[in-house]
Amino acid sequence: MNRRGLTLHRAALGLAGVTGLVYAAMLASLLRDGWPLLSWRFLLGLPRELEAGGGVAPEILNTFSMVMMAMAVIAPLGLAVAVQRVEYGRDVWWTRELDRWSRVFLSVPGIVVGLVAYRVLVAELGWPVSILTGTVALAVLNWPFVAVSAGDALAGVPESLREGSLALGTTRWQTWLFAVLPEALPSLVNGLGLAAARMIGESAALIFTAGVNVSPHWGLAAPGETLAVHLWYIRTEGLMPDATGQAAATGIVLLGLVIALLWASQRLALWLERRH
Amino acid sequence: MSQPPAIRVADLSVWYGAQRALTGITLDVPAGQVLALIGASGCGKSTVLRALNRMIDRVPNVRWQGSAMVGDTDVLGPAVDVVALRRRVGMVFQQPNPFPFSVFDNVAYGPRLHGIKHPARLRKTVEDSLKQAALWDEVRGKLRRPARALSGGQQQRLCIARALAVKPQVLLMDEPTAALDPLSTAKIEELVRELKGRYTMVVVTHNLQQAARISDWTAFLEAGRLIESGQTGTIFTTPRDARTENYITGRYE
């Protein structure tokens, strides 16, 4: 390696170190403020508006249920789009447009989707600001992501595998189900895990659709504040005296959930791959 | 086992869109014998092969003229059931392409999808196919191992076993040893000689010695046209056409 390359290498290493330090500092402040509040009471209790010592149990439940419901809708839908596109798709104008727009939709800010969902579902159709409305917003926001990542997973399956199966006298559908899908499964699982993690962290699309309140009774029409929205709410409007600690502790729980989810989905993907 | 079919390709032309890939190819392979297709890259050898099991259908805007009889069926006819045809006409590819399953499940893939559910029958089919592909001695007791853990040469024989498991009558091989070392190549060639008689085979190869060693008939293609075909001994010792002679003596440009 020449001297110039070495200098650039060191500069990159230095920048990486700085980035690492910034993250470490954020994590340290989160742990310093939030760790003392973490307890079963915090995890299993109801939030409090004006006193200290509230919990996040409904937020955890809302986050889980909304992400799962949105996932249950968009995983098959996204996969269907990907199959249509990769396995049966011809390169004609409307599929190219579909591709382009799904990539455009990937970068639409959550707040825009939230406002559109609010306008249509709440203002026009009279749906309550609720778990169901929030789930729809989550699904609309993340559907392109799932479609694109599933499409990439299927496109990553080599053509030779499809031909190997078709050459044995199997139908296209059998080939997809029994050869292509098993091959694509690890990357599919990875993509779905990433999508779920994105949804867990989503706040902007949910503020107007799922709301900033919780109900002690879970229901589709009940208000559905999630962990991420709760965090935003405490930091902007929270009146409880332990707001800083509450926010930090909520952040730790949120971070823990995302890490656990990504870890689990990656383990699953790795296990599926090892079975080959 | 029933007698394998003869193959008669008559005046076959193929276009990929506006591009002409084959022009008026006429070829005969007697039942149970081996035809080697030789020629430079892009000369249309693979297209001939892929016409015989209708793999060319996968290319958008493909068109063809002429006929290709496998036994009594014109495989290029409009009423042909392509899926059923591919059960009769098996194919082995240049790169070994095992599925992401165990050795057993790879070989059982075809039979299972064709409705063989009974475990004992399935096991028998898998064992017979692996024996026919000369792989049984190396994988017995390891049938549950991932197929991709096998060596390249073993994977290719596994792909042959996988093709044999659906009980085809014809075997098409598209440069089956191009990705293999000399030892594995020798095993595949030995295998082709053993399978001769039970299957009618068409082998595309860039390896001229291989063509001379394994085939009964050889056809030389250039730019989508058949230059010369005949018995392998004749083609390699006394070719009629100067272009064939140039190619087999390495003066091809």
Side-chain angles (χ1 to χ4, degrees), chain A residues 154-197:
Chain A
L154 292 180
V157 174
E159 210 47 28
S160 63
L161 201 82
R162 293 186 180 85
E163 294 198 331
S165 171
L166 290 170
L168 295 169
T170 62
T171 63
R172 253 155 44 129
W173 165 242
Q174 288 174 326
T175 291
W176 185 79
L177 189 63
F178 296 110
V180 176
L181 188 61
E183 178 76 15
L185 208 54
S187 359
L188 277 176
V189 167
N190 250 330
L192 290 179
L194 223 54

Side-chain angles (χ1 to χ4, degrees), chain A:
Chain A
M1 195 185 289
N2 59 30
R3 279 196 69 80
R4 191 178 158 76
L6 206 63
T7 315
L8 281 173
H9 184 74
R10 285 193 183 129
L13 212 63
L15 284 172
V18 171
T19 316
L21 276 179
V22 170
Y23 278 118
M26 280 164 60
L27 197 63
S29 90
L30 213 59
L31 287 173
R32 186 196 62 214
D33 295 338
W35 191 256
L37 263 77
L38 279 182
S39 63
W40 287 118
R41 232 186 74 187
F42 179 76
L43 291 174
L44 300 176
L46 295 174
R48 294 183 186 178
E49 202 61 42
L50 299 172
E51 316 104 78
V56 291
E59 280 85 0
I60 294 178
L61 183 63
N62 288 346
T63 305
F64 257 116
S65 52
M66 289 166 68
V67 168
M68 288 303 142
M69 285 192 300
M71 206 52 155
V73 176
I74 62 179
L77 262 181
L79 196 58
V81 168
V83 169
Q84 176 58 41
R85 191 65 199 85
V86 179
E87 306 293 332
Y88 294 92
R90 268 170 251 114
D91 198 26
V92 292
W93 68 269
W94 65 267
T95 57
R96 277 201 299 274
E97 287 297 300
L98 195 76
D99 272 3
R100 200 151 68 90
W101 283 101
S102 55
R103 305 240 172 213
V104 167
F105 267 107
L106 260 182
S107 46
V108 167
I111 189 78
V112 174
V113 171
L115 285 171
V116 170
Y118 177 84
R119 181 80 182 81
V120 174
L121 298 177
V122 181
E124 298 284 338
L125 299 174
W127 289 23
V129 170
S130 62
I131 286 181
L132 186 62
T133 315
T135 303
V136 172
L138 268 187
V140 170
L141 181 63
N142 285 284
W143 177 64
F145 182 84
V146 173
V148 167
S149 77
D152 289 348
L154 292 180
V157 174
E159 210 47 28
S160 63
L161 201 82
R162 293 186 180 85
E163 294 198 331
S165 171
L166 290 170
L168 295 169
T170 62
T171 63
R172 253 155 44 129
W173 165 242
Q174 288 174 326
T175 291
W176 185 79
L177 189 63
F178 296 110
V180 176
L181 188 61
E183 178 76 15
L185 208 54
S187 359
L188 277 176
V189 167
N190 250 330
L192 290 179
L194 223 54
R198 267 167 62 103
M199 290 199 272
I200 289 180
E202 180 56 41
S203 55
L206 296 176
I207 291 168
F208 302 104
T209 50
V212 293
N213 294 309
V214 293
S215 152
H217 307 292
W218 188 91
L220 286 179
E225 188 193 44
T226 63
L227 278 170
V229 173
H230 187 56
L231 180 56
W232 170 84
Y233 175 75
I234 299 172
R235 293 273 51 169
T236 50
E237 299 175 31
L239 296 173
M240 58 290 276
D242 59 348
T244 304
Q246 283 276 330
T250 307
I252 294 172
V253 174
L254 191 60
L255 210 58
L257 271 185
V258 171
I259 289 170
L261 183 97
L262 286 180
W263 180 82
S265 67
Q266 272 161 17
R267 289 303 302 216
L268 182 61
L270 205 65
W271 178 75
L272 287 167
E273 207 167 307
R274 290 256 169 83
R275 284 193 326 159
H276 293 181

Side-chain angles (χ1 to χ4, degrees), chain B residues 7 9 47-54 68 70 75 85 89 172 202:
Chain B
I7 299 173
V9 178
T47 301
V48 174
L49 205 65
R50 285 164 168 264
L52 293 174
N53 70 344
R54 291 284 292 274
V70 172
V75 303
L85 166 70
V89 182
L172 309 173
V202 183

Side-chain angles (χ1 to χ4, degrees), chain B residues 68-229:
Chain B
M69 305 294 292
V70 172
D72 298 327
T73 5
D74 179 5
V75 303
L76 297 173
V80 165
D81 177 351
V82 174
V83 172
L85 166 70
R86 289 176 185 154
R87 288 177 64 170
R88 284 181 64 206
V89 182
M91 190 169 201
V92 176
F93 298 83
Q94 180 178 354
Q95 288 287 337
N97 54 354
F99 300 128
F101 320 129
S102 67
V103 171
F104 183 92
D105 288 343
N106 260 276
V107 184
Y109 182 89
R112 271 193 184 126
L113 289 183
H114 298 141
I116 298 183
K117 296 278 189 282
H118 195 270
R121 257 187 84 196
L122 211 52
R123 218 194 135 72
K124 176 95 171 61
T125 305
V126 169
E127 188 179 327
D128 289 348
S129 307
L130 286 168
K131 278 178 179 161
Q132 270 199 71
L135 189 59
W136 176 250
D137 291 336
E138 290 159 62
V139 298
R140 62 190 305 177
K142 299 181 196 165
L143 296 179
R144 291 284 152 214
R145 300 258 181 93
R148 286 174 187 175
L150 298 176
S151 76
Q154 290 173 327
Q155 288 188 21
Q156 193 61 306
R157 276 178 284 149
L158 179 71
C159 290
I160 295 174
R162 184 174 76 183
L164 297 180
V166 300
K167 309 214 183 310
Q169 301 166 315
V170 174
L171 213 50
L172 309 173
M173 297 190 172
D174 195 355
E175 297 183 47
T177 62
L180 305 183
D181 63 72
L183 209 66
S184 307
T185 301
K187 282 188 180 158
I188 303 272
E189 290 183 9
E190 177 63 32
L191 186 55
V192 171
R193 281 193 293 269
E194 271 170 31
L195 295 176
K196 195 182 288 190
R198 277 180 283 180
Y199 307 92
T200 310
M201 284 182 274
V202 183
V203 182
V204 166
T205 181
H206 279 296
N207 182 336
L208 297 173
Q209 285 87 4
Q210 178 171 79
R213 281 192 296 263
I214 62 174
S215 67
D216 307 299
W217 304 84
T218 297
F220 172 59
L221 274 70
E222 193 182 86
R225 290 171 194 274
L226 179 72
I227 303 301
E228 187 170 352
S229 70

